[in-house]
mmCIF file with all atom_site columns, all heavy atoms in Angstrom:
data_model
loop_
_atom_site.group_PDB
_atom_site.id
_atom_site.type_symbol
_atom_site.label_atom_id
_atom_site.label_alt_id
_atom_site.label_comp_id
_atom_site.label_asym_id
_atom_site.label_entity_id
_atom_site.label_seq_id
_atom_site.pdbx_PDB_ins_code
_atom_site.Cartn_x
_atom_site.Cartn_y
_atom_site.Cartn_z
_atom_site.occupancy
_atom_site.B_iso_or_equiv
_atom_site.pdbx_formal_charge
_atom_site.auth_seq_id
_atom_site.auth_comp_id
_atom_site.auth_asym_id
_atom_site.auth_atom_id
_atom_site.pdbx_PDB_model_num
ATOM 1   N N   . CYS B 1 204 ? -29.242 63.284 4.023  1.00 0.00 ? 204 CYS B N   1
ATOM 2   C CA  . CYS B 1 204 ? -28.247 64.352 4.265  1.00 0.00 ? 204 CYS B CA  1
ATOM 3   C C   . CYS B 1 204 ? -28.575 65.116 5.533  1.00 0.00 ? 204 CYS B C   1
ATOM 4   O O   . CYS B 1 204 ? -27.653 65.565 6.231  1.00 0.00 ? 204 CYS B O   1
ATOM 5   C CB  . CYS B 1 204 ? -28.296 65.340 3.088  1.00 0.00 ? 204 CYS B CB  1
ATOM 6   S SG  . CYS B 1 204 ? -27.719 64.603 1.566  1.00 0.00 ? 204 CYS B SG  1
ATOM 7   N N   . MET B 1 205 ? -29.841 65.214 5.836  1.00 0.00 ? 205 MET B N   1
ATOM 8   C CA  . MET B 1 205 ? -30.253 65.914 7.068  1.00 0.00 ? 205 MET B CA  1
ATOM 9   C C   . MET B 1 205 ? -29.638 65.226 8.288  1.00 0.00 ? 205 MET B C   1
ATOM 10  O O   . MET B 1 205 ? -29.126 65.907 9.171  1.00 0.00 ? 205 MET B O   1
ATOM 11  C CB  . MET B 1 205 ? -31.770 65.836 7.107  1.00 0.00 ? 205 MET B CB  1
ATOM 12  C CG  . MET B 1 205 ? -32.465 66.601 8.143  1.00 0.00 ? 205 MET B CG  1
ATOM 13  S SD  . MET B 1 205 ? -34.222 66.695 7.748  1.00 0.00 ? 205 MET B SD  1
ATOM 14  C CE  . MET B 1 205 ? -34.882 65.237 8.428  1.00 0.00 ? 205 MET B CE  1
ATOM 15  N N   . LEU B 1 206 ? -29.645 63.907 8.274  1.00 0.00 ? 206 LEU B N   1
ATOM 16  C CA  . LEU B 1 206 ? -29.071 63.172 9.407  1.00 0.00 ? 206 LEU B CA  1
ATOM 17  C C   . LEU B 1 206 ? -27.583 63.455 9.488  1.00 0.00 ? 206 LEU B C   1
ATOM 18  O O   . LEU B 1 206 ? -27.022 63.639 10.558 1.00 0.00 ? 206 LEU B O   1
ATOM 19  C CB  . LEU B 1 206 ? -29.304 61.669 9.241  1.00 0.00 ? 206 LEU B CB  1
ATOM 20  C CG  . LEU B 1 206 ? -30.740 61.195 9.348  1.00 0.00 ? 206 LEU B CG  1
ATOM 21  C CD1 . LEU B 1 206 ? -30.842 59.751 8.921  1.00 0.00 ? 206 LEU B CD1 1
ATOM 22  C CD2 . LEU B 1 206 ? -31.268 61.362 10.724 1.00 0.00 ? 206 LEU B CD2 1
ATOM 23  N N   . ALA B 1 207 ? -26.890 63.432 8.318  1.00 0.00 ? 207 ALA B N   1
ATOM 24  C CA  . ALA B 1 207 ? -25.464 63.631 8.312  1.00 0.00 ? 207 ALA B CA  1
ATOM 25  C C   . ALA B 1 207 ? -25.129 65.061 8.716  1.00 0.00 ? 207 ALA B C   1
ATOM 26  O O   . ALA B 1 207 ? -24.166 65.276 9.454  1.00 0.00 ? 207 ALA B O   1
ATOM 27  C CB  . ALA B 1 207 ? -24.918 63.320 6.946  1.00 0.00 ? 207 ALA B CB  1
ATOM 28  N N   . GLU B 1 208 ? -25.900 65.988 8.230  1.00 0.00 ? 208 GLU B N   1
ATOM 29  C CA  . GLU B 1 208 ? -25.614 67.425 8.455  1.00 0.00 ? 208 GLU B CA  1
ATOM 30  C C   . GLU B 1 208 ? -25.731 67.752 9.939  1.00 0.00 ? 208 GLU B C   1
ATOM 31  O O   . GLU B 1 208 ? -25.022 68.614 10.444 1.00 0.00 ? 208 GLU B O   1
ATOM 32  C CB  . GLU B 1 208 ? -26.587 68.231 7.628  1.00 0.00 ? 208 GLU B CB  1
ATOM 33  C CG  . GLU B 1 208 ? -26.346 69.705 7.646  1.00 0.00 ? 208 GLU B CG  1
ATOM 34  C CD  . GLU B 1 208 ? -25.072 70.106 6.913  1.00 0.00 ? 208 GLU B CD  1
ATOM 35  O OE1 . GLU B 1 208 ? -24.556 69.274 6.151  1.00 0.00 ? 208 GLU B OE1 1
ATOM 36  O OE2 . GLU B 1 208 ? -24.628 71.235 7.127  1.00 0.00 ? 208 GLU B OE2 1
ATOM 37  N N   . THR B 1 209 ? -26.611 67.079 10.660 1.00 0.00 ? 209 THR B N   1
ATOM 38  C CA  . THR B 1 209 ? -26.791 67.385 12.075 1.00 0.00 ? 209 THR B CA  1
ATOM 39  C C   . THR B 1 209 ? -26.001 66.436 12.947 1.00 0.00 ? 209 THR B C   1
ATOM 40  O O   . THR B 1 209 ? -26.211 66.429 14.186 1.00 0.00 ? 209 THR B O   1
ATOM 41  C CB  . THR B 1 209 ? -28.270 67.303 12.444 1.00 0.00 ? 209 THR B CB  1
ATOM 42  O OG1 . THR B 1 209 ? -28.794 66.078 11.942 1.00 0.00 ? 209 THR B OG1 1
ATOM 43  C CG2 . THR B 1 209 ? -29.062 68.418 11.865 1.00 0.00 ? 209 THR B CG2 1
ATOM 44  N N   . ASN B 1 210 ? -25.137 65.617 12.386 1.00 0.00 ? 210 ASN B N   1
ATOM 45  C CA  . ASN B 1 210 ? -24.282 64.694 13.184 1.00 0.00 ? 210 ASN B CA  1
ATOM 46  C C   . ASN B 1 210 ? -25.156 63.706 13.918 1.00 0.00 ? 210 ASN B C   1
ATOM 47  O O   . ASN B 1 210 ? -24.827 63.361 15.064 1.00 0.00 ? 210 ASN B O   1
ATOM 48  C CB  . ASN B 1 210 ? -23.450 65.406 14.203 1.00 0.00 ? 210 ASN B CB  1
ATOM 49  C CG  . ASN B 1 210 ? -22.379 66.225 13.568 1.00 0.00 ? 210 ASN B CG  1
ATOM 50  O OD1 . ASN B 1 210 ? -21.980 65.902 12.427 1.00 0.00 ? 210 ASN B OD1 1
ATOM 51  N ND2 . ASN B 1 210 ? -21.914 67.241 14.205 1.00 0.00 ? 210 ASN B ND2 1
ATOM 52  N N   . ARG B 1 211 ? -26.228 63.261 13.341 1.00 0.00 ? 211 ARG B N   1
ATOM 53  C CA  . ARG B 1 211 ? -27.090 62.352 14.075 1.00 0.00 ? 211 ARG B CA  1
ATOM 54  C C   . ARG B 1 211 ? -26.837 60.934 13.611 1.00 0.00 ? 211 ARG B C   1
ATOM 55  O O   . ARG B 1 211 ? -26.391 60.682 12.497 1.00 0.00 ? 211 ARG B O   1
ATOM 56  C CB  . ARG B 1 211 ? -28.575 62.708 13.849 1.00 0.00 ? 211 ARG B CB  1
ATOM 57  C CG  . ARG B 1 211 ? -28.916 64.023 14.439 1.00 0.00 ? 211 ARG B CG  1
ATOM 58  C CD  . ARG B 1 211 ? -29.071 63.938 15.921 1.00 0.00 ? 211 ARG B CD  1
ATOM 59  N NE  . ARG B 1 211 ? -30.190 63.067 16.275 1.00 0.00 ? 211 ARG B NE  1
ATOM 60  C CZ  . ARG B 1 211 ? -30.609 62.902 17.501 1.00 0.00 ? 211 ARG B CZ  1
ATOM 61  N NH1 . ARG B 1 211 ? -30.041 63.489 18.495 1.00 0.00 ? 211 ARG B NH1 1
ATOM 62  N NH2 . ARG B 1 211 ? -31.642 62.114 17.746 1.00 0.00 ? 211 ARG B NH2 1
ATOM 63  N N   . SER B 1 212 ? -27.174 59.984 14.479 1.00 0.00 ? 212 SER B N   1
ATOM 64  C CA  . SER B 1 212 ? -27.030 58.567 14.113 1.00 0.00 ? 212 SER B CA  1
ATOM 65  C C   . SER B 1 212 ? -27.819 58.326 12.853 1.00 0.00 ? 212 SER B C   1
ATOM 66  O O   . SER B 1 212 ? -28.869 58.862 12.634 1.00 0.00 ? 212 SER B O   1
ATOM 67  C CB  . SER B 1 212 ? -27.599 57.717 15.246 1.00 0.00 ? 212 SER B CB  1
ATOM 68  O OG  . SER B 1 212 ? -27.682 56.401 14.862 1.00 0.00 ? 212 SER B OG  1
ATOM 69  N N   . PRO B 1 213 ? -27.337 57.506 11.877 1.00 0.00 ? 213 PRO B N   1
ATOM 70  C CA  . PRO B 1 213 ? -26.101 56.730 11.936 1.00 0.00 ? 213 PRO B CA  1
ATOM 71  C C   . PRO B 1 213 ? -24.865 57.449 11.468 1.00 0.00 ? 213 PRO B C   1
ATOM 72  O O   . PRO B 1 213 ? -23.865 56.853 11.191 1.00 0.00 ? 213 PRO B O   1
ATOM 73  C CB  . PRO B 1 213 ? -26.410 55.598 10.934 1.00 0.00 ? 213 PRO B CB  1
ATOM 74  C CG  . PRO B 1 213 ? -27.311 56.213 9.934  1.00 0.00 ? 213 PRO B CG  1
ATOM 75  C CD  . PRO B 1 213 ? -28.106 57.247 10.664 1.00 0.00 ? 213 PRO B CD  1
ATOM 76  N N   . PHE B 1 214 ? -24.917 58.799 11.408 1.00 0.00 ? 214 PHE B N   1
ATOM 77  C CA  . PHE B 1 214 ? -23.758 59.558 10.945 1.00 0.00 ? 214 PHE B CA  1
ATOM 78  C C   . PHE B 1 214 ? -23.127 60.331 12.095 1.00 0.00 ? 214 PHE B C   1
ATOM 79  O O   . PHE B 1 214 ? -22.541 61.376 11.886 1.00 0.00 ? 214 PHE B O   1
ATOM 80  C CB  . PHE B 1 214 ? -24.170 60.529 9.836  1.00 0.00 ? 214 PHE B CB  1
ATOM 81  C CG  . PHE B 1 214 ? -24.867 59.884 8.687  1.00 0.00 ? 214 PHE B CG  1
ATOM 82  C CD1 . PHE B 1 214 ? -26.222 60.021 8.530  1.00 0.00 ? 214 PHE B CD1 1
ATOM 83  C CD2 . PHE B 1 214 ? -24.143 59.148 7.781  1.00 0.00 ? 214 PHE B CD2 1
ATOM 84  C CE1 . PHE B 1 214 ? -26.878 59.428 7.454  1.00 0.00 ? 214 PHE B CE1 1
ATOM 85  C CE2 . PHE B 1 214 ? -24.783 58.555 6.690  1.00 0.00 ? 214 PHE B CE2 1
ATOM 86  C CZ  . PHE B 1 214 ? -26.151 58.683 6.552  1.00 0.00 ? 214 PHE B CZ  1
ATOM 87  N N   . ASP B 1 215 ? -23.280 59.853 13.338 1.00 0.00 ? 215 ASP B N   1
ATOM 88  C CA  . ASP B 1 215 ? -22.810 60.639 14.465 1.00 0.00 ? 215 ASP B CA  1
ATOM 89  C C   . ASP B 1 215 ? -21.333 60.405 14.732 1.00 0.00 ? 215 ASP B C   1
ATOM 90  O O   . ASP B 1 215 ? -20.930 60.271 15.917 1.00 0.00 ? 215 ASP B O   1
ATOM 91  C CB  . ASP B 1 215 ? -23.664 60.372 15.684 1.00 0.00 ? 215 ASP B CB  1
ATOM 92  C CG  . ASP B 1 215 ? -23.722 58.898 16.073 1.00 0.00 ? 215 ASP B CG  1
ATOM 93  O OD1 . ASP B 1 215 ? -23.359 58.071 15.192 1.00 0.00 ? 215 ASP B OD1 1
ATOM 94  O OD2 . ASP B 1 215 ? -24.137 58.568 17.189 1.00 0.00 ? 215 ASP B OD2 1
ATOM 95  N N   . LEU B 1 216 ? -20.530 60.312 13.682 1.00 0.00 ? 216 LEU B N   1
ATOM 96  C CA  . LEU B 1 216 ? -19.100 60.014 13.896 1.00 0.00 ? 216 LEU B CA  1
ATOM 97  C C   . LEU B 1 216 ? -18.326 61.073 14.667 1.00 0.00 ? 216 LEU B C   1
ATOM 98  O O   . LEU B 1 216 ? -17.471 60.727 15.415 1.00 0.00 ? 216 LEU B O   1
ATOM 99  C CB  . LEU B 1 216 ? -18.459 59.801 12.538 1.00 0.00 ? 216 LEU B CB  1
ATOM 100 C CG  . LEU B 1 216 ? -18.904 58.525 11.870 1.00 0.00 ? 216 LEU B CG  1
ATOM 101 C CD1 . LEU B 1 216 ? -19.781 58.866 10.726 1.00 0.00 ? 216 LEU B CD1 1
ATOM 102 C CD2 . LEU B 1 216 ? -17.733 57.758 11.390 1.00 0.00 ? 216 LEU B CD2 1
ATOM 103 N N   . PRO B 1 217 ? -18.612 62.364 14.426 1.00 0.00 ? 217 PRO B N   1
ATOM 104 C CA  . PRO B 1 217 ? -17.773 63.354 15.124 1.00 0.00 ? 217 PRO B CA  1
ATOM 105 C C   . PRO B 1 217 ? -17.840 63.185 16.639 1.00 0.00 ? 217 PRO B C   1
ATOM 106 O O   . PRO B 1 217 ? -16.883 63.473 17.332 1.00 0.00 ? 217 PRO B O   1
ATOM 107 C CB  . PRO B 1 217 ? -18.367 64.683 14.684 1.00 0.00 ? 217 PRO B CB  1
ATOM 108 C CG  . PRO B 1 217 ? -18.978 64.408 13.384 1.00 0.00 ? 217 PRO B CG  1
ATOM 109 C CD  . PRO B 1 217 ? -19.516 63.017 13.468 1.00 0.00 ? 217 PRO B CD  1
ATOM 110 N N   . GLU B 1 218 ? -18.957 62.736 17.170 1.00 0.00 ? 218 GLU B N   1
ATOM 111 C CA  . GLU B 1 218 ? -18.972 62.542 18.622 1.00 0.00 ? 218 GLU B CA  1
ATOM 112 C C   . GLU B 1 218 ? -18.760 61.087 19.057 1.00 0.00 ? 218 GLU B C   1
ATOM 113 O O   . GLU B 1 218 ? -18.220 60.833 20.111 1.00 0.00 ? 218 GLU B O   1
ATOM 114 C CB  . GLU B 1 218 ? -20.177 63.164 19.276 1.00 0.00 ? 218 GLU B CB  1
ATOM 115 C CG  . GLU B 1 218 ? -21.515 62.849 18.627 1.00 0.00 ? 218 GLU B CG  1
ATOM 116 C CD  . GLU B 1 218 ? -22.658 63.535 19.366 1.00 0.00 ? 218 GLU B CD  1
ATOM 117 O OE1 . GLU B 1 218 ? -22.979 63.131 20.490 1.00 0.00 ? 218 GLU B OE1 1
ATOM 118 O OE2 . GLU B 1 218 ? -23.155 64.528 18.827 1.00 0.00 ? 218 GLU B OE2 1
ATOM 119 N N   . ALA B 1 219 ? -19.225 60.129 18.230 1.00 0.00 ? 219 ALA B N   1
ATOM 120 C CA  . ALA B 1 219 ? -18.967 58.720 18.431 1.00 0.00 ? 219 ALA B CA  1
ATOM 121 C C   . ALA B 1 219 ? -18.533 58.326 19.834 1.00 0.00 ? 219 ALA B C   1
ATOM 122 O O   . ALA B 1 219 ? -17.395 57.983 20.094 1.00 0.00 ? 219 ALA B O   1
ATOM 123 C CB  . ALA B 1 219 ? -17.940 58.240 17.396 1.00 0.00 ? 219 ALA B CB  1
ATOM 124 N N   . GLU B 1 220 ? -19.459 58.360 20.749 1.00 0.00 ? 220 GLU B N   1
ATOM 125 C CA  . GLU B 1 220 ? -19.213 58.027 22.144 1.00 0.00 ? 220 GLU B CA  1
ATOM 126 C C   . GLU B 1 220 ? -18.324 56.812 22.323 1.00 0.00 ? 220 GLU B C   1
ATOM 127 O O   . GLU B 1 220 ? -17.325 56.828 23.062 1.00 0.00 ? 220 GLU B O   1
ATOM 128 C CB  . GLU B 1 220 ? -20.576 57.773 22.791 1.00 0.00 ? 220 GLU B CB  1
ATOM 129 C CG  . GLU B 1 220 ? -20.527 57.152 24.206 1.00 0.00 ? 220 GLU B CG  1
ATOM 130 C CD  . GLU B 1 220 ? -20.159 58.131 25.272 1.00 0.00 ? 220 GLU B CD  1
ATOM 131 O OE1 . GLU B 1 220 ? -20.386 59.339 25.070 1.00 0.00 ? 220 GLU B OE1 1
ATOM 132 O OE2 . GLU B 1 220 ? -19.637 57.697 26.309 1.00 0.00 ? 220 GLU B OE2 1
#
Side-chain angles (χ1 to χ4, degrees):
Chain B
C204 294
M205 187 164 87
L206 293 170
E208 186 69 16
T209 49
N210 292 334
R211 292 285 296 187
S212 171
F214 305 105
D215 56 344
L216 291 107
E218 48 181 286
E220 169 77 24

